[in-house]
């Protein structure tokens, strides 16, 4: 077998200067740029190192086998180290995911509680305004004999009423903006119902009393097709149009409707449902015996809720998810939309 002396062209009598000279001469000849190869240069470099250490008479194959074995051990050690780092990184990512999910759930619960508190505040303020309006009208009637005194009191009361109304509007709008931005669901446009005001005129001084006109005169919703099938999502078209939608019917004759824009609506059968509804149901319009509500957030407002639940309870009505996935995919095709989930 070839020794390192034979490979380098040296022997035990050569000095370090002669060994180095031999190495340089062979390096010029075996360099890849001069027609050699990278493998020959590595062998030459190993031979120079071994001869310099006094191992020139050792066989090349013995040293190369030992080096290769050490190299494999190092590679295995490096791979095990990388695997350990990947496992640690995976555990850290899993912990982050669980923490963010918990934060999302806490944020949703906080938003619901604040919604209830805001509604209570609005109702209390509304009652206070009604009392102020009644007091204002009584003062006007009592002070008809002294118009100047009545006008002064009226001006003060009017300023207080306008200031209170502005505070209510700012609180209400600010809460809705924060609430929609903090949710993980797709927000839907919020429909505001105008409240009609009638004015009674007495001695050229106006007093306001809040009344509700016939709700049917406010708006009219798209008419949905009636069905006798309960608990099955089906594709239908609004009456008198070619606008598609999918819907499911409850035992009480109420419906959940999803249109091409992905908006969910609750058609409440007024003959079987009470006038009180959940906070996330926003009144939109009327359709015959139905009161129509948008569902911009909360229970029943997203595809994932319907896909992940066998049924959902909305305003004390049970709606099944049977056939929801296939009907929703079919609606996306008819509406020329992308796959909804």
């Amino acid at each position: 077998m070839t020794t390192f002396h034979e490979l380098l062209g040296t022997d035990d009598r050569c000095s370090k200067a002669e060994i180095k000279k031999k190495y340089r001469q062979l390096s010029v000849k075996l360099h890849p740029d001069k027609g050699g190869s990278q493998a020959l240069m590595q062998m030459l470099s190993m031979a120079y190192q071994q001869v310099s250490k006094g191992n020139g008479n050792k066989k090349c194959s013995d040293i190369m086998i030992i080096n290769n074995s050490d190299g494999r051990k190092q590679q295995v050690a490096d791979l095990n180290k990388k695997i350990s780092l990947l496992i640690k990184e995976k555990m850290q990512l899993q912990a982050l995911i669980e923490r963010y999910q918990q934060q999302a759930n806490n944020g949703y619960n906080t938003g619901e509680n604040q919604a209830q508190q805001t509604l209570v505040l609005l109702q209390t303020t509304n009652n206070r305004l009604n009392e102020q309006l009644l007091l204002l009208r009584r003062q006007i009637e009592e002070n008809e004999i002294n118009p100047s005194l009545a006008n002064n009191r009226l001006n003060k009361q009017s300023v207080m009423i306008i200031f209170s109304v502005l505070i209510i509007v700012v609180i209400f709008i600010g809460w809705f903006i924060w609430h929609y931005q903090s949710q993980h669901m797709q927000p839907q446009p919020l429909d505001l119902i105008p409240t009609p005001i009638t004015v009674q005129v007495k001695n050229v001084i106006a007093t306001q009393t809040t009344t509700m006109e016939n709700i049917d005169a406010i708006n009219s919703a798209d008419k949905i097709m009636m069905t006798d099938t309960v608990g099955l999502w089906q594709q239908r078209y609004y009456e008198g149009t070619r606008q598609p939608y999918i819907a499911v019917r409850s035992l009480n004759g109420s419906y959940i409707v999803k249109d091409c824009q992905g908006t969910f609506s609750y058609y409440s059968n007024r003959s079987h449902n009470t006038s009180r509804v959940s906070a996330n149901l926003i009144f939109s319009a009327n359709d015959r015996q139905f009161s129509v509500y948008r569902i911009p957030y909360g229970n029943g407002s997203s595809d994932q809720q319907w896909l992940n639940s066998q049924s959902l309870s909305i305003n004390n009505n049970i709606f099944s998810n049977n056939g929801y996935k296939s009907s929703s995919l079919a609606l996306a095709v008819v509406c020329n939309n992308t796959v909804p989930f």
Side-chain angles (χ1 to χ4, degrees):
M1 298 298 293
T2 303
T3 64
F4 290 107
H5 275 314
E6 294 175 348
L7 185 62
L8 195 60
T10 58
D11 53 31
D12 292 336
R13 294 172 297 179
C14 292
S15 63
K16 291 185 178 181
E18 292 175 341
I19 294 172
K20 189 173 184 180
K21 182 178 180 180
K22 287 283 186 179
Y23 169 71
R24 289 180 175 177
Q25 291 175 350
L26 291 174
S27 297
V28 174
K29 295 179 180 180
L30 299 178
H31 196 274
D33 295 339
K34 300 295 183 178
S37 64
Q38 189 69 26
L40 290 175
M41 285 298 299
Q42 290 178 354
M43 292 177 63
L44 180 62
S45 178
M46 182 182 295
Y48 174 70
Q49 293 175 3
Q50 294 299 325
V51 170
S52 299
K53 293 178 182 179
N55 298 329
N57 293 320
K58 290 187 177 181
K59 296 179 180 180
C60 298
S61 58
D62 295 339
I63 300 299
M64 294 175 68
I65 290 173
I66 293 174
N67 290 338
N68 290 336
S69 176
D70 293 338
R72 291 192 187 95
K73 290 181 181 179
Q74 184 63 34
Q75 289 178 355
V76 171
D78 292 340
L79 289 175
N80 289 330
K81 185 177 180 180
K82 289 181 180 179
I83 291 172
S84 299
L85 291 175
L86 289 175
I87 292 175
K88 183 178 180 181
E89 184 177 357
K90 178 183 177 182
M91 294 175 64
Q92 292 175 348
L93 289 175
Q94 185 65 32
L96 285 175
I97 291 173
E98 293 175 357
R99 187 179 69 183
Y100 286 130
Q101 288 178 345
Q102 184 65 32
Q103 290 178 354
N105 293 333
N106 293 339
Y108 178 78
N109 294 332
T110 302
E112 288 295 316
N113 293 334
Q114 291 186 357
Q116 295 294 336
Q117 294 175 2
T118 302
L119 289 176
V120 171
L121 175 61
L122 291 175
Q123 292 174 355
T124 303
T125 307
N126 184 58
N127 294 335
R128 183 167 57 82
L129 287 177
N130 288 333
E131 293 175 358
Q132 291 178 353
L133 288 173
L134 292 175
L135 178 62
L136 178 61
R137 184 171 60 181
R138 190 180 300 114
Q139 290 177 352
I140 292 173
E141 294 174 351
E142 293 175 354
N143 294 289
E144 288 178 346
I145 300 176
N146 192 346
S148 60
L149 179 60
N151 288 332
N152 292 334
R153 291 184 179 179
L154 177 61
N155 291 334
K156 293 180 180 179
Q157 293 291 338
S158 299
V159 171
M160 293 178 62
I161 292 173
I162 293 173
F163 184 76
S164 300
V165 171
L166 288 176
I167 292 177
I168 294 174
V169 172
V170 171
I171 293 174
F172 192 74
I173 293 176
W175 174 82
F176 269 107
I177 292 175
W178 174 88
H179 191 270
Y180 281 113
Q181 290 179 348
S182 64
Q183 300 305 310
H184 303 283
M185 308 172 185
Q186 293 183 351
Q188 300 293 339
L190 183 65
D191 292 335
L192 299 179
I193 306 173
T195 303
I197 299 176
T198 60
V199 179
Q200 297 178 350
V201 180
K202 189 172 184 180
N203 292 338
V204 198
I205 301 177
T207 62
Q208 296 180 347
T209 59
T210 304
T211 63
M212 290 296 297
E213 296 180 351
N214 187 357
I215 297 179
D216 293 335
I218 296 176
N219 199 354
S220 178
D222 294 327
K223 296 183 181 297
I224 60 175
M225 298 174 62
M226 304 299 179
T227 178
D228 295 330
T229 305
V230 176
L232 178 64
W233 284 86
Q234 295 177 321
Q235 181 185 331
R236 292 287 186 269
Y237 292 89
Y238 292 111
E239 290 187 4
T241 70
R242 294 299 297 171
Q243 295 297 322
Y245 68 90
I246 59 174
V248 61
R249 183 181 184 271
S250 70
L251 288 173
N252 292 336
S254 296
Y255 293 80
I256 296 295
V257 176
K258 177 185 177 183
D259 57 23
C260 282
Q261 286 71 38
T263 302
F264 288 90
S265 299
Y266 168 55
Y267 280 65
S268 174
N269 190 346
R270 290 195 294 267
S271 61
H272 292 87
N273 291 314
T274 62
S275 59
R276 296 186 57 135
V277 297
S278 303
N280 68 319
L281 301 178
I282 308 302
F283 179 79
S284 175
N286 287 298
D287 174 11
R288 294 158 295 188
Q289 75 270 28
F290 299 108
S291 294
V292 184
Y293 299 85
R294 294 283 182 87
I295 313 179
Y297 65 92
N299 195 29
S301 63
S302 69
D303 291 308
Q304 294 302 322
Q305 291 179 350
W306 290 103
L307 291 172
N308 297 333
S309 304
Q310 293 184 352
S311 62
L312 293 178
S313 176
I314 299 177
N315 205 37
N316 297 326
N317 284 274
I318 303 299
F319 295 95
S320 172
N321 76 335
N322 186 21
Y324 176 79
K325 184 174 183 179
S326 58
S327 298
S328 190
L329 291 173
L331 179 67
V333 174
V334 175
C335 298
N336 296 323
N337 292 338
T338 57
V339 177
F341 36 77

